[in-house]
Amino acid sequence: MGGIMRLGHIDLNVLDIEKSREYYTNIMGMVVVREDSDGTLYLKCWDEWDKYSLVLRPSDEATFNTAAYKVESDEDIDDLKAKIEAYGVETEILPEGEVAECGRTLKFTAPSGHIFHLYAYKTFVGKDVGDTNPRPWPFEGKGIKAHWIDHTLLMCEGPEKVMAGTKFFQEVLGFKLAEQVTVGPEGSLQAATWLARTSTPHDIAFVAGPHTGMHHFAYFLDGWNDILRAADVMAMHNVKIDVTPQRHGITRGETIYFFDPSGHRLETFAGLGYLVQPDMPTITWTEEELWRGIFYHTGAEDGAFTTAYTLSAYK
Amino acid sequence: MKHNILVRDKSRNHTCHEDKSLMDGLNVYENLVPKGCHNGACGVCKIHILNGEYSKSKMNRRYISQEDEDKNIVLACKVFPKTDMEIEFLPKPKILSALEKKVYILGN
């Protein structure tokens, strides 16, 4: 198929790098795989094979920098560069190594307002369980032991930016629209969308809000038992939980929302949802059933869920 | 040690242990503080400190400038009481300007 494969990493600014190091290693169960002289940390989950899936930069701001997606081959970079520019979006090629451990990287600001990176190569490390006669999970390790980074949900300035970002991801980057929330006259506006390149319900989602930013990024867990165990681990360490274990109507995911030491919202997302295929019909949620779609059990709005989130960085 | 925190805009007061931030200490009481991320990224817990001694950790400069901080305008999640305090929650100005622009917010 070629083109974009999956979310590769999230790049954030954090307020206290040592608190973040302790949190992501002890609670999330990730491992620091690289440390730069400016204090930037790169972290990896046990079930990931590329070098890192999270970049944490010491900063005076708690903000969002970039979401990076991995493409299948180096030719995809040239192919997508041409397509993106033909669509009227400017691009830039960052030379090999400018994004740590990555090959040349295509950088652009999508019509959603967010900066994205696309790369084809990242230093290979391998899963912690190896690839010959592997155990199903590592005996070693700490905390939640998240499998891998799963998806991100980005906030856009109003439905217009959601729709512009969604159209771009569908038409130029080849994403499948799995689900949408429609609002306005005869549901003519998309207030939120869930898009996939893998066979899961989302590799990215866009939601309308007042500002450009990041709502959350998610780590994959197997199922409900792991969700409950993760919530226990969080409570044992006074992690601020935003939404206790809950089912999503949209994506069918089993979820917990919680915050890291800089206030970035994370999700542990369990279950594969359902099989997304190119011919699967898009699922639509109406404005009236919006909160049932988001929190399936309570079906009710949660005050801070759409208003409290991380803004994009100035730079 | 516990201190008494008067939230002037709510005309209510509750205690907060000095090991806890004002946000963590006060959020257990319903409708007293805005719900947010508790750690600095979201900016919903911006307060003006009117009285009292406190210690603080690093503010998110995306929301709190050095000038704000010098005028005791800070994030409640980064402030720890050392004496009784009087505070006032401030509206998040960027949200207000967005509402003026009538930007649709999911769920509103």
Side-chain angles (χ1 to χ4, degrees):
Chain A
M1 186 161 72
I4 291 176
M5 293 193 292
R6 63 174 183 275
L7 179 59
H9 62 262
I10 292 287
D11 189 318
L12 300 172
N13 294 328
V14 301
L15 294 172
D16 184 328
I17 197 72
E18 288 312 314
K19 274 190 191 168
S20 296
R21 181 206 300 268
E22 193 180 313
Y23 178 89
Y24 282 98
T25 54
N26 290 331
I27 310 292
M28 298 308 295
M30 298 177 78
V31 173
V32 174
V33 285
R34 174 182 162 130
E35 235 178 298
D36 287 349
S37 55
D38 65 359
T40 301
L41 296 181
Y42 301 78
L43 297 107
K44 175 189 176 295
C45 297
W46 68 267
D47 215 4
E48 292 170 331
W49 51 90
D50 280 347
K51 179 99 179 183
Y52 62 88
S53 61
L54 182 62
V55 184
L56 302 174
R57 300 180 188 278
S59 173
D60 291 333
E61 295 182 345
T63 45
F64 166 74
N65 293 316
T66 330
Y69 283 79
K70 192 176 189 189
V71 300
E72 200 168 329
S73 71
D74 199 57
E75 294 78 58
D76 291 326
I77 298 280
D78 299 310
D79 179 40
L80 287 167
K81 184 178 193 296
K83 282 183 180 156
I84 291 166
E85 286 177 359
Y87 196 77
V89 173
E90 284 178 27
T91 69
E92 188 187 346
I93 293 276
L94 308 177
E96 180 182 341
E98 188 158 329
V99 178
E101 312 278 343
C102 290
R104 68 192 181 114
T105 297
L106 185 61
K107 178 185 176 183
F108 58 92
T109 303
S112 64
H114 304 90
I115 295 170
F116 288 95
H117 287 170
L118 302 181
Y119 63 91
Y121 171 83
K122 188 186 272 177
T123 305
F124 175 81
V125 177
K127 297 183 182 190
D128 289 9
V129 291
D131 54 13
T132 304
N133 309 322
R135 294 161 291 161
W137 45 270
F139 190 71
E140 308 76 16
K142 293 179 188 173
I144 293 166
K145 293 204 256 192
H147 282 259
W148 58 75
I149 195 166
D150 190 86
H151 66 267
T152 184
L153 189 158
L154 302 177
M155 299 298 289
C156 309
E157 282 185 24
E160 295 79 11
K161 289 284 175 71
V162 169
M163 291 164 77
T166 300
K167 186 169 187 279
F168 175 80
F169 267 69
Q170 284 181 275
E171 293 181 6
V172 182
L173 303 181
F175 279 63
K176 156 86 183 175
L177 180 63
E179 304 207 30
Q180 59 182 351
V181 172
T182 59
V183 298
E186 292 171 28
S188 56
L189 297 172
Q190 289 169 315
T193 56
W194 287 257
L195 297 130
R197 275 295 294 183
T198 61
S199 56
T200 64
H202 60 333
D203 298 300
I204 194 162
F206 295 112
V207 166
H211 306 291
T212 307
M214 181 201 70
H215 185 271
H216 69 264
F217 61 107
Y219 285 95
F220 182 79
L221 297 179
D222 285 320
W224 276 119
N225 285 340
D226 305 278
I227 289 280
L228 179 61
R229 187 181 166 277
D232 289 343
V233 169
M234 290 173 204
M236 285 173 201
H237 294 84
N238 293 314
V239 171
K240 176 61 189 167
I241 295 182
D242 188 27
V243 179
T244 52
Q246 173 90 214
R247 159 86 75 185
H248 284 309
I250 296 161
T251 74
R252 289 187 204 155
E254 299 145 21
T255 183
I256 310 167
Y257 287 105
F258 53 105
F259 294 105
D260 87 351
S262 296
H264 299 305
R265 186 186 282 96
L266 290 127
E267 181 184 20
T268 46
F269 183 89
L272 287 164
Y274 47 80
L275 181 67
V276 175
Q277 294 278 279
D279 62 337
M280 189 198 82
T282 295
I283 296 163
T284 298
W285 293 78
T286 59
E287 201 163 359
E288 297 71 35
E289 292 300 312
L290 161 67
W291 287 103
R292 184 68 64 193
I294 295 174
F295 303 126
Y296 196 66
H297 297 153
T298 59
E301 179 180 356
D302 189 310
F305 191 70
T306 50
T307 51
Y309 57 87
T310 298
L311 297 184
S312 288
Y314 285 121
K315 46 199 174 287
Chain B
M1 191 174 166
K2 285 180 177 178
H3 302 291
N4 190 56
I5 313 297
L6 173 65
V7 183
R8 197 181 272 182
D9 50 307
K10 292 275 184 176
S11 303
R12 285 166 65 194
N13 58 284
H14 278 287
T15 55
C16 179
H17 197 277
E18 60 188 16
D19 292 344
K20 282 196 171 182
S21 73
L22 294 182
M23 190 69 183
D24 282 345
L26 299 177
N27 91 99
V28 294
Y29 305 108
E30 199 172 354
N31 297 324
L32 188 58
V33 300
K35 201 178 166 203
C37 74
H38 283 244
N39 288 320
C42 79
V44 307
C45 66
K46 203 166 179 174
I47 56 171
H48 185 198
I49 295 173
L50 304 158
N51 272 304
E53 301 289 311
Y54 59 93
S55 60
K56 61 192 173 186
S57 53
K58 203 169 165 184
M59 302 292 157
N60 180 3
R61 281 278 174 264
R62 196 77 158 82
Y63 287 113
I64 303 289
S65 64
Q66 186 62 56
E67 297 80 68
D68 285 342
E69 205 171 327
D70 294 343
K71 287 188 285 187
N72 291 320
I73 293 171
V74 290
L75 297 175
C77 66
K78 298 286 179 185
V79 168
F80 302 83
K82 284 173 138 177
T83 63
D84 289 354
M85 292 178 77
E86 270 184 59
I87 62 168
E88 183 173 50
F89 277 86
L90 302 174
K92 201 173 158 189
K94 284 176 179 174
I95 292 269
L96 286 181
S97 68
L99 289 173
E100 279 159 19
K101 284 195 294 180
K102 290 192 166 53
V103 169
Y104 178 90
I105 301 167
L106 189 77
N108 283 24

